[in-house]
Amino acid sequence: MNESVPHRDFVRQVVEEDLRTGKWDGKVQTRFPPEPNGYLHIGHAKSICLNFGIAEEYNGLCNLRFDDTNPEKEDTEYVDSIRDDVRWLGFDWDDRQFYASDYFQQLYDWAEELIRRDCAYVCSLPPDEISGGRGTASKPGINSPFRDRSVEENLDLFRRMKAGEFPDGAHVLRAKIDMAHPHMLLRDPIMYRIRHIEHHRTGSEWCIYPTYDYAHGQSDSIEGITHSICTLEFENHRPLYDWYCDALGIHHPQQIEFNRLNLTHTVMSKRRLLELVQEGHVSGWDDPRMPSLRGLRRRGYTPEAVRAFCRAAGVTKHNATLDIGVLENHLREDLNRRAERRMAVLDPIKVVITNYPEDQAEELDAVNNPEDTAAGSRKVPFSRELWIERDDFHEDPPKKFFRLAPGREVRLRWAYFITCTDFVKDDDGRVTEIHCTYDPETLGGDAPDGRKVKATLHWVSAQHAVAAEVRLYDHLFFREDPDDFDDPSLDWKSGLNPDSLNVVKEARLEPALAAAREGDLIQFERLGYFCVDSDSTAENPVFNRTVTLRDQWAKSQKQK
RNA sequence: UACCCCGUGGUGUAAUGGUAGCACAACAGAUUCUGGUUCUGUUUGUCGGGGUUCGAGUCCCUGCGGGGUAACCA
């Protein structure tokens, strides 16, 4: 692949070909059509990036359209959150926010037209007989006894359905196609059903509602959509999409299907995510472990990282499952560039610098972001008693352990070299305190005599430390595929990771972190990227671990 | 089962009849005041069988495998 000519996925290739041939007079019009019945997740982000991205790249427009044809499940609460999430991702639809419900009257008029042309009829069979009459995959269906009602009777019945004269389920409007069609969806599909239920936008104006198949293509048509991009599971619906547009003789967009995004160690279906919320496995849709956009946002993901990931995920026609690590790597890449560094100790153990004066403290310079000199530096207080990470000391160091151990010298980040001279244990044999001496000559990080150390530790001055709660997150599911288990008595929730949340109540932070605010991007040196949680208060600061740093040492230990 | 779609390293994706490439992962090394970052190198692939062709990952046939659908959901 030539660097100067970035790869075009097959959808973009179709768009480019259409532009070249002038199929749509140079127009590119897409849409993102969520149903307002749940929150958006990372899978939707891929669709958003594709639809809005194509519009941007080819000088076209992308509409936001709520596909609200099923009032039983839909609510304005979801409309608001969806708008918010799309904006957060970085896309804008200007004044082109539409609803399928905007088109209810037009859809109704078209339905009457299809009745008049004997292309649709009112069927009064109960639901089970309708599905039974549809036959099976290998057996053709049988015609409904109501299939040959006259146009007049159909029109009359359909109008009375609309007028509210019948209870739910009494009648439906069906397209008259072919009950023997090898494609089940084309065996007289349902266009309208009766539902006496409040719609979040049209209230009680309607008691009949169009089905997805009858509404979607025509909504696209009304909006002048050129490329109707959807996921693979709608491939089967394309013949129907085409049938309605052709039967009505209206503008006929091209439906193109692409592969939806799947990730390891999580679930993506709205139904399952809702179940996790309702059963309390997570704290809500914005729980930082959720793959929902709100969850990712609270976790500390940046829209830039999500977009880069979606772009890298690729657009094809085969099912693909990406390792969640790929998403995390895009996040690290973005955060590495942008996050300011700070020091925080999550599992503290005390270090006493025995040759450092008791009542002395000094302010040392620490670089904010080695990847960005413009980020400047800050002062970090140093004193005789410090906290370091318990993991960074070993009384009897294993092979290749480079950190602090008896007799060993290491560097304290932005401070001095220290050498461990002694340590104290409690009755349980647990190390409670480490004694070190420091070398005043090594301020600035290097020894004048040129001697080297193999490790640099982060630390926090005990008397200056700020206490905070830190929430450490891990994958929601410990299995790559939550559905991959042998025992039939188990279900997908058996793969829920019991360690997906680990709360550290009393972490010690360098004082500068007291100023951290929601939205700040922070790296705790050597630990990972963190953000301020929405639960955070001045009295009880709360940080979320967004993602760990890569850690070769931890990896090598885990493999043992 | 019927209909539809899809099979390229571990994963994700290129090659549009003409040298099977890229990214991530893995492994090895260099650099480094983060066991981070950065840099270098290495390993690993066209589902099988037939055909068409000078030449097939690509086209055809066939087998196998995976997925979707079979709602008065979207």
Side-chain angles (χ1 to χ4, degrees):
Chain A
M1 183 178 33
N2 189 327
E3 290 266 353
S4 62
V5 185
H7 162 67
R8 304 282 192 239
D9 56 69
F10 82 96
V11 180
R12 278 176 244 255
Q13 285 177 40
V14 170
V15 172
E16 287 184 10
E17 179 66 7
D18 290 347
L19 249 17
R20 198 184 60 76
T21 62
K23 181 176 175 185
W24 307 106
D25 297 325
K27 222 182 93 181
V28 174
Q29 175 74 60
T30 58
R31 101 266 94 115
F32 172 61
E35 183 188 11
N37 71 342
Y39 292 85
L40 261 25
H41 55 62
I42 181 86
H44 294 110
K46 176 172 168 179
S47 175
I48 294 167
C49 290
L50 225 208
N51 278 295
F52 280 93
I54 283 177
E56 266 174 21
E57 289 158 41
Y58 298 102
N59 197 27
L61 294 171
C62 180
N63 300 347
L64 175 62
R65 180 171 75 237
F66 293 97
D67 216 341
D68 56 350
T69 58
N70 182 7
E72 283 177 75
K73 301 196 285 184
E74 295 152 4
D75 197 272
T76 49
E77 172 199 354
Y78 298 118
V79 170
D80 296 340
S81 75
I82 289 168
R83 289 160 43 95
D84 190 48
D85 285 343
V86 175
R87 277 210 198 87
W88 174 75
L89 249 195
F91 297 103
D92 186 29
W93 53 92
D94 296 316
D95 57 348
R96 298 178 317 284
Q97 175 177 314
F98 304 119
Y99 295 83
S101 54
D102 292 339
Y103 315 132
F104 280 175
Q105 185 60 48
Q106 175 66 262
L107 257 11
Y108 176 84
D109 293 342
W110 276 333
E112 283 208 354
E113 187 183 330
L114 289 178
I115 292 173
R116 268 183 248 110
R117 291 184 10 214
D118 198 27
C119 290
Y121 63 97
V122 172
C123 179
S124 309
L125 250 22
D128 55 323
E129 287 186 41
I130 288 183
S131 60
R134 198 136 32 208
T136 64
S138 38
K139 247 196 347 232
I142 49 166
N143 284 175
S144 161
F146 303 102
R147 200 171 199 265
D148 295 317
R149 287 216 252 233
S150 69
V151 167
E152 292 68 33
E153 188 183 2
N154 280 322
L155 230 32
D156 174 61
L157 249 17
F158 187 49
R159 286 172 183 165
R160 288 165 60 196
M161 280 168 64
K162 173 177 186 273
E165 291 187 25
F166 308 111
D168 288 6
H171 310 281
V172 293
L173 184 70
R174 292 229 251 171
K176 194 183 279 191
I177 304 182
D178 178 2
M179 287 306 287
H181 201 107
H183 192 321
M184 299 278 292
L185 262 184
L186 263 13
R187 320 241 260 228
D188 290 8
I190 287 162
M191 296 164 60
Y192 272 92
R193 70 280 207 186
I194 301 172
R195 284 286 176 281
H196 291 273
I197 199 172
E198 286 274 313
H199 184 280
H200 70 102
R201 290 192 69 245
T202 60
S204 52
E205 188 183 342
W206 296 85
C207 64
I208 56 172
Y209 292 96
T211 57
Y212 166 84
D213 286 309
Y214 182 67
H216 199 90
Q218 291 93 305
S219 299
D220 284 344
S221 182
I222 290 167
E223 292 178 20
I225 300 300
T226 54
H227 305 270
S228 178
I229 301 164
C230 60
T231 45
L232 251 26
E233 67 268 29
F234 291 100
E235 219 154 21
N236 288 303
H237 294 249
R238 191 176 354 120
L240 237 197
Y241 184 107
D242 293 339
W243 192 90
Y244 285 124
C245 282
D246 289 344
L248 259 9
I250 56 180
H251 166 71
H252 187 159
Q254 180 181 0
Q255 175 176 309
I256 307 169
E257 310 86 12
F258 72 98
N259 62 340
R260 70 159 61 216
L261 175 69
N262 295 298
L263 284 180
T264 60
H265 299 287
T266 191
V267 291
M268 211 74 99
S269 87
K270 280 188 199 171
R271 204 200 88 237
R272 285 183 169 186
L273 293 175
L274 182 64
E275 198 171 326
L276 292 177
V277 172
Q278 286 177 339
E279 293 180 5
H281 300 290
V282 295
S283 64
W285 280 95
D286 67 343
D287 186 297
R289 292 166 291 181
M290 292 278 273
S292 58
L293 260 18
R294 301 174 102 64
L296 294 177
R297 188 179 352 180
R298 185 166 171 192
R299 175 77 169 257
Y301 273 76
T302 61
E304 289 82 359
V306 175
R307 276 190 262 124
F309 168 71
C310 288
R311 191 64 202 250
V315 176
T316 66
K317 285 180 86 75
H318 41 260
N319 311 304
T321 301
L322 274 83
D323 194 301
I324 199 162
V326 177
L327 173 62
E328 292 167 345
N329 280 335
H330 279 90
L331 181 61
R332 289 189 182 100
E333 195 182 338
D334 189 39
L335 259 18
N336 176 52
R337 227 174 13 235
R338 299 164 63 182
E340 291 207 355
R341 274 58 169 172
R342 297 288 184 270
M343 291 197 285
V345 176
L346 301 187
D347 185 11
I349 185 169
K350 171 100 31 113
V351 168
V352 180
I353 313 289
T354 52
N355 60 339
Y356 196 88
E358 296 222 13
D359 45 9
Q360 185 175 318
E362 58 189 309
E363 299 264 296
L364 306 177
D365 286 308
V367 171
N368 282 332
N369 184 352
E371 307 292 322
D372 177 15
T373 49
S377 65
R378 68 189 185 284
K379 295 288 188 187
V380 183
F382 184 87
S383 64
R384 179 181 158 94
E385 296 200 354
L386 312 170
W387 298 111
I388 66 165
E389 215 67 63
R390 182 166 289 275
D391 277 356
D392 283 340
F393 175 78
H394 233 292
E395 140 181 28
D396 180 23
K399 244 193 167 65
K400 295 223 187 141
F401 180 89
F402 302 145
R403 283 108 95 144
L404 198 60
R408 191 176 287 176
E409 184 171 52
V410 300
R411 172 167 42 227
L412 292 179
R413 185 94 159 133
W414 310 122
Y416 302 94
F417 285 13
I418 57 169
T419 302
C420 175
T421 54
D422 195 13
F423 59 94
V424 182
K425 281 186 179 182
D426 64 16
D427 296 341
D428 300 330
R430 187 175 152 90
V431 178
T432 54
E433 199 171 282
I434 302 165
H435 294 171
C436 295
T437 56
Y438 84 115
D439 177 356
E441 299 298 310
T442 56
L443 180 60
D446 291 300
D449 63 7
R451 71 182 193 276
K452 301 287 183 195
V453 290
K454 294 194 83 171
T456 300
L457 309 186
H458 62 276
W459 53 276
V460 171
S461 167
Q463 69 173 110
H464 302 93
V466 174
E469 176 178 328
V470 177
R471 299 175 182 169
L472 306 177
Y473 297 102
D474 200 350
H475 301 150
L476 233 196
F477 290 82
F478 60 79
R479 281 194 274 262
E480 272 197 17
D481 175 2
D483 283 312
D484 179 27
F485 46 82
D486 298 325
D487 186 344
S489 69
L490 299 177
D491 73 351
W492 60 278
K493 282 178 288 184
S494 66
L496 241 12
N497 178 6
D499 298 319
S500 61
L501 170 59
N502 200 334
V503 179
V504 174
K505 281 294 181 189
E506 293 231 20
R508 319 290 169 139
L509 319 181
E510 67 165 270
L513 279 169
R517 294 291 170 265
E518 226 177 307
D520 289 352
L521 305 174
I522 305 157
Q523 181 193 109
F524 289 178
E525 295 234 23
R526 302 210 301 136
L527 297 176
Y529 296 97
F530 292 75
C531 67
V532 177
D533 187 75
S534 51
D535 285 347
S536 193
T537 62
E539 300 73 43
N540 183 36
V542 180
F543 289 81
N544 294 324
R545 184 174 68 197
T546 307
V547 66
T548 62
L549 253 33
R550 278 204 190 84
D551 188 344
Q552 286 187 26
W553 170 248
K555 200 169 75 182
S556 71
Q557 292 304 290
K558 221 165 135 187
Q559 281 167 0
K560 281 184 180 171

